[in-house]
């Protein structure tokens, strides 16, 4: 607003301020009426002038208006769901009591799932919720991608106005509104040539996502002038949409000055079973493994490489073994891991993956060989080999220290179709209980398939009957709250009461179990309501 | 009116929470989970049993239909008011989620509800009983006289204090520090003039308020002097202005105007917390009369003021204006129906009209800091490191106050606008504009900014 002396010179006011600052003992105020003391006269005049100045206020000139936010064409979130969002965002971390969890659902834990659901349905976030969404995305990196997708173009418009939210401009996958698309050649060119490193990484990832070849060509154009660490990061973005057309470029990168760049290029090539590198590795690995028919049953014998030659190193084999590993087994593992799995069937007498995995292995090479096959199956996303290496979920080795660790099993499960994955884990839990199942449950699709959910609830019930405390299973319980199908809530009804305590049970465990099951039931019901709220009437 | 029709939004319920901890705790209880035996009556009572820490569940009941805002009762030991259970219950009710069947209240709830209804009827019947006035009119007159004398001596002392300051110069105020003003403020409290005391305290904080402080100090000294003089010569003022002076000095004012019945739209509600007292301001707009009214409500330390009217509701009620000029303060009288959500928006003006309205108010009440105004078609725009509301049609703009530009509500406003014009209600004064509520262009509910 403008009524300030600079705009509308009011000498009288200036004089009053000067007299007031110096004091009437030193400066006689202007226009003092006779009969009034100097200070009173000054205050009289200042009061009249203050009210006059305030009453004369006018709006100031408008600054240039902002470029309006881009349209968000997505449908509006239903009213009930918009209210739910306000709840979920009000439940901020760091304000909790930290103690026992009680029976109330943990809203913050449900936010990621809720965001996934609204994004799947393609709703637009309510405009007034954007600041809270951006704050949540800033505080929790695990939420960031989903929160920003939901927040949409207006959030990026907003983030440009507030330095606290700058992260959103960098973090938006697929570029959002701030990054040029693959067809905007001039802008792409400029940003790629002049952009900051983070902007260039984001640009490359965005273009790779939509036009893989264009991204590779962009990278190839400046490849020789990039710094080593930058080359590594750029190369990594080629994981998205990797195809045989990338082979020549990657093959060239195998000769890179940087060892890390070479290793990454080799890893990417080995994920392309048809590549020349994969073929070279197949030959090398093949010479190390053979079937020994002289034994009673056919047995695999392993002859690990005697040296790591320059050609092997060029193909990404790391020559120096980590401390505590034998060099030869270290090289051998890398060869098998990078060799295409299909080659083994030909090499080992046309056997199926199941038959190959079932073969005995001589001289304690079993775990080395199977672990390398596991890594290869994951890298090449080969479901047949994964199935063979996983074995039957009920087999004794699956739950204990078998040839394949739980972490590897979890990764192998990731290559199987969703339904098969759930069935395998259900079978595993039925046979081995819950204590080892956490990692495996984490790779199952949400909501859990019926048989999987039932096996988890059954196993929790068994654990309760065994008299242990529920917090021994708090990880699985927390997963169940987020992942069980809400339709299963009624199955919990029988578990909500506090049971009579068996003699050998831990003291008070029954009450805690009842509480844990109550929370589980409540969370499931809440999730059902939340899903309903997203249905457009 | 259907039961569903009177339910509030979650935002409106959460506005009742005394603090953010309660907001969070209440949100956690706003699901069917911990509740049993919930229900609601056509008359606006809501009840339920909430599992707590120990054996017996807590009994929670809320009366949403009271003219003075919802009333709560809960058997939990919390000193927060309303407690998290009351908030959770209202959230459950607002969502319409789970089972909140209409029906007959259980005995424990019914007892309390009936007790409240009886008290209410008594209150409504009250005025006829108390029309005879205070029991001892002569005593009341003597007390009022004594208080006026004390205020007069306080105002006289304050005048001397201001004259001393002006004689030695404002530059000396920077050195004399805050303590001297605190002491003077305490003497004004002794003089039973809380209005003067508050102004004196503000004087003490000005020398540390940054560049330009001498001008602000002179302004506030001059207006305080004007108030002193108004009090000392009040019998020579027009009645309305004299009433304004009495209210500004800190004498209690009462509703004297005729009751105005209207559909009052709740424009804004916000609290100004103080260690000892929380002041709640509620701005209302009469959809028929076009009047803007301010309701004040107070809460002692740690308690939310009892009157609570969530933004976006409208209530059919009678309001009576307080004495004085240029003030919007009114008191809530009879309420004819529970508050209901409404899509009505107040009409808006341009920035130029808003400042003119402020200037006009100053003629009647020179101590007014701001006036309530709804701006139509303004765009939040960054300017000079701060923000302004620019007229979408013209080339003028109102700056936001420093406080408003630093609050999180600013970003809700900017997000809601997206660079497009919207309608904004707030307080417009010599420090700038403080937005309190906004409505987006097109359809959409009112969005709270404070």
């Amino acid at each position: 607003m403008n009524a300030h002396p600079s705009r509308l010179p009011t000498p009288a006011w200036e004089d009053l301020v000067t007299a007031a600052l110096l004091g009437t003992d030193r400066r006689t105020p202007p226009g003092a009426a006779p009969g009034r003391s100097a200070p009173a006269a000054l205050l009289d005049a200042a009061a009249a002038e203050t009210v006059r100045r305030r009453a004369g206020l006018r709006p100031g000139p408008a600054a240039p208006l902002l470029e309006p936010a881009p349209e968000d064409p997505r449908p509006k979130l239903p009213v009930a769901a918009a209210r739910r969002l306000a709840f979920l965002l009000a439940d901020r971390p760091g304000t909790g009591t930290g103690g026992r969890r009680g029976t109330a659902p943990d809203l913050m834990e449900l936010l990621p799932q809720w965001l996934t659901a609204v994004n799947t349905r393609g709703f637009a976030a309510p405009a007034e919720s954007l600041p809270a969404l951006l704050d949540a995305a800033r505080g929790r990196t695990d939420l960031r991608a989903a929160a920003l997708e939901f927040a949409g173009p207006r959030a990026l418009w907003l983030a440009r106005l507030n330095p606290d939210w700058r992260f959103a401009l960098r973090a938006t996958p697929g570029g959002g509104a701030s990054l040029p698309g693959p067809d905007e050649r001039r802008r792409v060119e400029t940003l790629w040539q002049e952009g900051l490193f983070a902007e260039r990484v984001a640009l490359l990832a965005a273009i790779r996502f939509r036009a893989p070849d264009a991204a590779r060509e962009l990278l190839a154009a400046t490849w020789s002038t990039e710094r080593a660490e930058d080359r590594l990061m750029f190369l990594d973005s080629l994981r998205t949409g990797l195809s045989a057309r990338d082979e020549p470029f990657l093959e060239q990168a195998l000769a890179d000055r940087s060892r890390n760049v070479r290793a990454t290029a080799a890893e990417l090539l080995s994920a392309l079973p048809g590549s020349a590198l994969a073929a070279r590795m197949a030959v090398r690995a093949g010479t190390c493994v053979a079937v020994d028919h002289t034994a009673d049953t056919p047995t695999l014998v392993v002859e690990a490489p005697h040296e790591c030659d320059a050609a092997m190193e060029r193909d990404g084999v790391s020559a120096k073994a980590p401390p505590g590993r034998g060099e030869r087994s270290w090289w051998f593992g890398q060869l098998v891991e990078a060799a295409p799995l299909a080659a083994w069937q030909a090499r080992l007498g046309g056997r199926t993956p199941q038959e190959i995995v079932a073969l005995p292995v001589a001289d304690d090479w079993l775990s080395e060989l199977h672990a390398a096959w596991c890594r290869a199956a994951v890298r090449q996303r080969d479901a047949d080999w994964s199935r063979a290496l996983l074995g039957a979920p009920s087999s004794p080795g699956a739950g204990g220290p078998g040839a394949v660790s739980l972490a590897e099993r979890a990764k192998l499960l990731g290559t199987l179709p969703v339904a098969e994955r759930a069935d395998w884990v259900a079978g595993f839990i039925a046979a081995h209980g819950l204590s080892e199942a956490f990692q495996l449950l984490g790779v199952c699709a949400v909501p859990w398939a019926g048989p999987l959910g039932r096996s988890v609830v059954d196993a929790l019930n068994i654990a309760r009957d065994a008299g242990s405390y529920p917090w021994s299973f708090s990880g699985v319980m927390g997963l169940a709250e987020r992942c069980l199908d809400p339709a299963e809530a009624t199955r919990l009804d029988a578990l909500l009461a506090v049971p009579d305590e068996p003699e050998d049970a831990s003291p008070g465990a029954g009450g805690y179990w009842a509480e844990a099951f109550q929370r589980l039931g409540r969370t499931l019901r809440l999730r059902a309501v939340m899903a309903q709220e997203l249905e457009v009437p | 009116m259907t039961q569903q029709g009177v339910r509030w939004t979650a935002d409106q319920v959460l506005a009742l929470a005394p603090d953010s901890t309660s907001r969070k705790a209440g949100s956690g209880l706003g699901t069917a989970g911990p509740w049993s035996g919930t229900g609601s009556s056509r008359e606006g009572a809501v009840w339920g049993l909430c599992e707590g820490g120990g054996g017996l569940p807590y009994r929670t009941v809320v009366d949403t239909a009271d003219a003075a805002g919802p009333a709560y009762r809960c058997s939990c030991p919390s000193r927060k008011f309303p407690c998290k259970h009351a908030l959770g219950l209202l959230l459950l009710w607002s969502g319409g989620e789970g089972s909140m069947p209409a029906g007959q209240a259980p005995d424990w709830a019914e007892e309390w509800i009936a007790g409240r209804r009886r008290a209410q009827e008594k209150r409504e019947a009250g005025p006829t009983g108390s029309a005879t006035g205070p029991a001892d009119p002569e005593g009341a007159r003597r007390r009022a006289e004594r208080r006026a004398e004390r205020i007069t001596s306080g105002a006289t002392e304050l005048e001397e204090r201001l004259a001393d300051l002006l004689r030695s110069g404002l530059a000396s105020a920077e050195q004399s520090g805050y303590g001297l003003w605190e002491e003077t403020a305490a003497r004004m409290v002794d003089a039973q003039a809380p209005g003067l005391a508050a102004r004196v305290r503000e004087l003490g904080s000005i020398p540390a308020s940054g560049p330009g402080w001498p001008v602000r100090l002179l302004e506030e000294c001059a207006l305080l002097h004007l108030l002193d003089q108004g009090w000392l010569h009040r019998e020579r003022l027009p009645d309305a202005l004299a009433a304004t002076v009495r209210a500004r000095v800190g004498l209690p004012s009462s509703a004297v105007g005729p009751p105005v019945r209207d559909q009052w739209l709740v424009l804004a509600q916000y609290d100004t917390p103080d260690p000892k007292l929380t002041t709640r301001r509620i701005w209302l707009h009469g959809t028929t009369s076009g009047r803007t009214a301010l309701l004040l409500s107070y809460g002692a330390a740690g308690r939310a003021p009892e009157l609570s009217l969530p933004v976006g509701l409208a209530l059919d009620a009678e309001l009576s204006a307080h004495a004085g000029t240029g003030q919007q303060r009114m008191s809530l009288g009879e309420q004819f129906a529970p508050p209901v959500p409404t899509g009505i928006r107040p009409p808006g003006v341009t920035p130029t009209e808003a400042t003119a309205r402020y200037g006009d108010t100053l003629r009647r009440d020179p101590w007014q800091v701001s006036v309530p105004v709804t701006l139509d078609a303004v765009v939040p725009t960054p300017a000079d490191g701060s923000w302004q509301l620019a007229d979408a049609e013209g080339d003028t703009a109102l700056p936001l106050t420093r406080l408003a530009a630093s609050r999180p509500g600013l970003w809700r406003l900017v997000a809601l606008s997206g660079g497009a014009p919207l309608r904004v209600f707030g307080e417009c004064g010599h420090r700038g504009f403080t937005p309190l509520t906004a409505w987006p262009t097109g359809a959409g509910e009112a969005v709270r900014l404070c």
Side-chain angles (χ1 to χ4, degrees), chain A residues 20 25 44 60 63 91 95 154 522, chain B residues 24 33 167 170 225 388 397 415 418:
Chain A
D25 284 352
D44 284 347
D91 195 47
T95 48
R154 187 174 287 208
R522 266 164 208 170
Chain B
K24 182 183 152 29
R167 207 170 282 128
L170 297 184
H225 164 73
Q388 57 173 220

Side-chain angles (χ1 to χ4, degrees), chain A residues 217-261:
Chain A
E217 282 155 23
L218 191 66
L219 179 55
T222 60
W223 180 253
S224 56
T225 61
E226 307 286 358
R227 299 184 313 146
E229 343 38 312
D230 295 1
R231 288 202 302 278
L232 185 64
M233 193 77 165
F234 291 140
L235 195 59
D236 211 54
S237 65
L238 297 189
R239 271 179 215 285
T240 311
L242 186 67
S243 78
R245 285 196 302 280
D246 296 316
E247 193 186 345
F249 179 76
L250 291 171
E251 199 44 63
Q252 205 190 335
L254 282 177
D256 200 89
R257 293 188 300 281
S258 155
R259 194 164 56 82
N260 288 330
V261 171

Side-chain angles (χ1 to χ4, degrees), chain A residues 97-106 471 477 481 511-523, chain B residues 29 34 51-53:
Chain A
T97 47
R100 225 173 82 218
R101 292 189 52 208
T103 59
D106 189 341
W471 41 84
M477 199 54 117
E481 284 165 22
Y512 294 125
W513 274 108
E515 194 174 285
F517 279 122
Q518 281 166 17
R519 186 179 61 246
L520 178 56
R522 266 164 208 170
T523 308
Chain B
L29 290 173
E51 279 162 35

Side-chain angles (χ1 to χ4, degrees), chain A residues 413-507:
Chain A
L413 278 170
T415 70
L416 297 187
V418 166
E420 192 181 344
R421 220 184 286 175
D423 282 342
W424 197 94
V425 178
F428 179 91
I429 292 172
H432 306 287
L434 281 175
S435 47
E436 307 292 340
F438 185 74
Q439 265 177 315
L440 305 178
L441 284 168
V443 297
C444 294
V446 176
W448 286 339
L452 176 59
R454 280 191 288 281
S455 74
V456 171
V457 174
D458 287 347
L460 286 170
N461 195 8
I462 290 165
R464 180 184 69 154
D465 291 344
S468 49
Y469 282 118
W471 41 84
S472 314
F473 301 90
S474 60
V476 173
M477 199 54 117
L479 268 183
E481 284 165 22
R482 295 193 292 281
C483 306
L484 260 183
D485 191 331
E488 300 281 322
T490 49
R491 299 179 55 83
L492 298 167
D493 288 348
L495 304 173
L496 301 183
V498 180
D500 295 331
E501 268 179 35
E503 273 180 23
D504 53 346
S506 312

Side-chain angles (χ1 to χ4, degrees), chain A residues 270-329:
Chain A
S270 69
L272 295 170
S275 70
L277 177 130
R280 292 196 293 275
M281 293 309 253
V283 171
R284 290 189 186 108
T287 60
C288 298
V289 181
V291 185
D292 179 1
H293 292 284
T294 60
D296 295 345
T297 56
T299 301
L300 287 180
V301 287
V302 172
E303 172 78 10
H306 291 274
E307 61 165 349
C308 178
D309 58 27
M312 275 164 74
E313 275 203 73
R314 186 182 173 277
D315 280 346
V317 176
S318 149
K320 192 169 159 26
R325 283 289 302 266
E327 277 187 330
R328 292 183 60 202
S329 83

Side-chain angles (χ1 to χ4, degrees), chain A residues 1 20-21 23-26 42-44 47 53-54 59-60 62-64 69 84 87 91 95 127 131 154 157 161-162 522, chain B residues 24 33 51 91 97 166-167 169-171 219-220 222-223 225 355 362 381 388 395-397 399 411 415-416 418-419 429-430:
Chain A
M1 272 182 259
L21 258 176
T24 54
D25 284 352
R26 290 184 207 88
L42 175 55
L43 286 168
D44 284 347
R53 277 156 49 90
R54 289 186 180 177
R84 179 69 56 194
F87 279 146
D91 195 47
T95 48
R154 187 174 287 208
W157 176 88
L161 298 167
N162 187 340
R522 266 164 208 170
Chain B
K24 182 183 152 29
E51 279 162 35
L91 287 176
E97 159 197 319
L166 267 296
R167 207 170 282 128
L170 297 184
E219 285 176 342
E220 292 310 318
L223 288 174
H225 164 73
T355 51
L362 287 183
T381 308
Q388 57 173 220
D395 50 6
T396 60
W411 292 104
L416 190 67
H430 63 90

